[in-house]
Amino acid sequence: MEQLVGPEPKYRQLQAVLADLVASELGPGERVPSERALMTRFRVSRATVRHAIDALERDGVLERRHGSGTYVAERRVTSRLHLASFSEDMARRGLDPSTRLLAAARVEADDALAAALAVAPGGPLARLERLRCADGRPMAYEVGCYPLARLPDLLEEDLTGSVYELLRQRYRRPPDGGEQLLWAEPASPRLARRLEVDAGAPLLVFQRTALSRGEPIEHTTSWYRADRYRISMELGPG
Amino acid sequence: MEQLVGPEPKYRQLQAVLADLVASELGPGERVPSERALMTRFRVSRATVRHAIDALERDGVLERRHGSGTYVAERRVTSRLHLASFSEDMARRGLDPSTRLLAAARVEADDALAAALAVAPGGPLARLERLRCADGRPMAYEVGCYPLARLPDLLEEDLTGSVYELLRQRYRRPPDGGEQLLWAEPASPRLARRLEVDAGAPLLVFQRTALSRGEPIEHTTSWYRADRYRISMELGPG
DNA sequence: CCACTTGAGTGGACCGTACCAGTTATCCTG
DNA sequence: CAGGATAACTGGTACGGTCCACTCAAGTGG
């Protein structure tokens, strides 16, 4: 009988324990202990157990079967897009990526950024403004913010290459998840000039928050030339 | 004080009631009744209220603020990457979907369509041209092709509702997977007129092939107004 | 007048219980 | 031995309650 203690909510701890169990011991299709078994084992209520499993089910880690049990999901995530850096994304498409660093500065987090990056308002951030090119021609304009609390001295590094590579190698913080909003908008005169398109030309806008080990480490907004970029995705049921 | 009765679970009914409330009466940023108010009003427990709100929050309809209240989310329509029909997609966020059938005809598959739908070139297809509206205003223009070999007499059915519902109920062919390409392009004069936007305004274009039991059953291209639609997606590792 | 305290109201996290509904293996019965 | 009833599981829905953390505005003291 284990104990769940600490500042973290019990359902989150239990969620982590179960995720760990799946990662280390159980294979796809195997059954996880029943909700009632888990509640006596961890001394929590069934509501707490269900709360933890809810989250894992939504993430596609577990799969409930009414009357039968809860199982490790068979196919890991059908509809996920890759969390790839610009460099990797371009390489995948057979294009040659390059980057022009337009600005790099230390700024203070406003409320929105603080919330997105889970830091205190006013906390130190690195703000990078970059022009991304493929085969030498502009592809995207990108503004990215990174929490310096978790990535000390980021501004002293070489920022013309892949920041993701830096996060992985230098900081041991591999991006492993995230969420992204996507919409389209017409190019403002300023963006049009930078991207070498006509003002008003459609741009694909990605606003992404990337996580590493559950903590936000990047918040970027990217404007892609719609005439040079498109994405493909797989769709899952329901 | 309302009543929630029927075969549907109470939390689902409450979810529908709230989605409806958002759609008909409340605007973005407005506050929804508190959880405690809802429980007395609908005579349900707080757990049930929270269950209902959980779902709406995940869909981006509502937004909770600890200590303050629950609010109608600011964002415009945000779609998750499910394989959902337009009707389901709109209903999920409390918008009222409607469809105007612009054309419905039997056509022969050209090479590209034949390949996409895995039928013989020249094989019979149903071609539907439809205008999709949300709350009475144009949201998307859609051209869809369906293989008549797998869906006999499709053109005799009622095509103003959800085709996905037809596929499921009438043909026992639930869409369960698919692939989709996404890009942006400026509205042509013709599309602009149909969608009631300015010519050149950015549109989000989806080109989707949906499968049922491994066989293609739909190939559609949809042009969405970028000012009314955006999507949200989760990112997995590399 | 401003800063501070305070309290009512909000969502967040739990607990324990009860009953329903679907699944499955076991144990009868024909 | 095959088949059906059954009982012991499983998850699903729902109830009630308790305490905590946070927000915000009204009230208070300097």
Side-chain angles (χ1 to χ4, degrees):
Chain A
M1 191 177 63
E2 282 98 314
Q3 278 286 345
L4 296 178
V5 286
E8 280 285 289
K10 293 189 184 178
Y11 76 90
R12 283 214 168 283
Q13 296 183 52
L14 182 53
Q15 186 182 335
V17 168
L18 289 174
D20 211 58
L21 195 79
V22 170
S24 61
E25 296 181 34
L26 297 177
E30 283 196 85
R31 211 172 73 175
V32 138
S34 77
E35 298 180 354
R36 287 167 178 85
L38 290 169
M39 58 185 279
T40 65
R41 176 161 154 199
F42 292 98
R43 310 267 252 144
V44 294
S45 73
R46 187 140 165 249
T48 304
V49 172
R50 287 184 62 80
H51 198 163
I53 294 181
D54 279 348
L56 291 168
E57 194 186 19
R58 272 197 306 279
D59 286 348
V61 176
L62 296 180
E63 185 187 327
R64 286 182 163 123
R65 282 177 223 160
H66 189 175
S68 173
T70 302
Y71 301 80
V72 179
E74 282 297 345
R75 295 159 312 176
R76 212 145 281 232
V77 218
T78 56
S79 69
R80 293 242 151 140
L81 298 185
H82 293 293
L83 184 63
S85 73
F86 178 81
S87 317
E88 292 154 354
D89 190 21
M90 290 304 119
R92 220 189 284 259
R93 293 162 191 257
L95 298 174
D96 175 37
S98 59
T99 295
R100 207 162 78 225
L101 186 62
L102 303 176
R106 182 194 171 97
V107 300
E108 292 183 356
D110 62 28
D111 288 351
L113 276 171
L117 288 169
V119 299
L125 303 180
R127 181 179 183 282
L128 306 184
E129 201 173 321
R130 296 183 293 177
L131 186 67
R132 309 296 216 146
C133 300
D135 288 346
R137 285 159 48 222
M139 173 68 93
Y141 169 80
E142 197 170 289
V143 174
C145 291
Y146 304 81
L148 285 170
R150 292 193 265 279
L151 307 167
D153 305 319
L154 179 64
L155 286 167
E156 271 73 65
E157 305 288 337
D158 171 26
L159 298 168
T160 59
S162 170
V163 170
Y164 274 29
E165 217 38 56
L166 265 179
L167 296 181
R168 271 191 282 263
Q169 304 292 337
R170 160 89 170 72
Y171 293 99
R172 304 280 163 204
R173 289 257 188 191
D176 53 19
E179 202 181 319
Q180 129 177 316
L181 287 177
L182 190 168
W183 66 93
E185 64 183 38
S188 68
R190 192 175 129 270
L191 273 179
R193 190 156 20 87
R194 287 214 199 285
L195 290 170
E196 299 175 16
V197 296
D198 294 335
L203 301 178
L204 275 175
V205 192
F206 298 83
Q207 188 170 297
R208 167 199 284 188
T209 304
L211 311 178
S212 180
R213 296 186 235 122
E215 287 183 323
I217 50 168
E218 180 197 47
H219 183 75
T220 64
T221 307
S222 313
W223 288 262
Y224 277 74
R225 286 174 54 161
D227 63 333
R228 294 195 73 191
Y229 195 74
R230 68 177 189 181
I231 64 179
S232 127
M233 51 188 127
E234 303 215 340
L235 302 168
Chain B
M1 191 176 64
E2 281 97 314
Q3 278 287 342
L4 298 178
V5 284
E8 278 287 287
K10 293 188 183 179
Y11 76 91
R12 282 213 169 283
Q13 296 183 53
L14 181 52
Q15 185 182 335
V17 168
L18 289 174
D20 210 59
L21 195 78
V22 169
S24 60
E25 296 182 32
L26 298 177
E30 283 196 84
R31 211 171 72 173
V32 139
S34 76
E35 298 180 353
R36 286 166 180 86
L38 290 170
M39 57 186 280
T40 65
R41 175 161 156 200
F42 292 97
R43 311 267 253 141
V44 294
S45 73
R46 187 141 166 249
T48 303
V49 172
R50 287 183 62 79
H51 198 164
I53 295 181
D54 279 349
L56 290 168
E57 194 187 18
R58 274 198 303 279
D59 284 346
V61 176
L62 297 181
E63 185 186 328
R64 286 181 164 124
R65 285 178 221 156
H66 190 175
S68 171
T70 301
Y71 300 80
V72 178
E74 284 296 345
R75 22 172 88 174
R76 15 179 178 170
V77 183
T78 297
S79 167
R80 296 264 163 191
L81 281 183
H82 314 109
L83 185 62
S85 73
F86 179 80
S87 316
E88 291 155 354
D89 192 19
M90 292 302 120
R92 217 189 282 265
R93 40 202 45 85
L95 293 179
D96 176 37
S98 58
T99 295
R100 211 163 74 224
L101 186 61
L102 303 175
R106 182 194 172 96
V107 300
E108 293 183 355
D110 61 29
D111 288 352
L113 276 171
L117 288 169
V119 297
L125 303 179
R127 181 180 184 280
L128 305 183
E129 197 174 321
R130 296 185 293 177
L131 185 67
R132 308 297 214 146
C133 300
D135 287 348
R137 285 159 49 219
M139 173 68 91
Y141 169 80
E142 198 169 288
V143 174
C145 292
Y146 305 81
L148 285 171
R150 293 188 200 100
L151 307 167
D153 304 320
L154 178 64
L155 286 166
E156 270 73 65
E157 305 287 336
D158 172 25
L159 297 168
T160 60
S162 170
V163 169
Y164 274 28
E165 213 44 53
L166 267 180
L167 297 181
R168 271 192 282 261
Q169 304 290 335
R170 160 90 170 71
Y171 294 99
R172 304 280 161 204
R173 288 257 188 191
D176 53 20
E179 198 182 320
Q180 126 178 319
L181 286 177
L182 190 169
W183 66 92
E185 64 184 37
S188 68
R190 192 177 131 272
L191 272 180
R193 190 155 23 85
R194 287 214 197 285
L195 290 170
E196 298 176 15
V197 296
D198 293 334
L203 302 178
L204 276 175
V205 192
F206 297 84
Q207 187 171 297
R208 168 200 285 187
T209 304
L211 311 177
S212 179
R213 297 187 234 122
E215 287 181 322
I217 49 168
E218 180 198 48
H219 184 75
T220 64
T221 308
S222 313
W223 288 263
Y224 277 74
R225 285 174 54 161
D227 62 334
R228 293 195 75 192
Y229 197 74
R230 69 178 188 184
I231 65 178
S232 142
M233 49 188 120
E234 303 213 342
L235 303 168

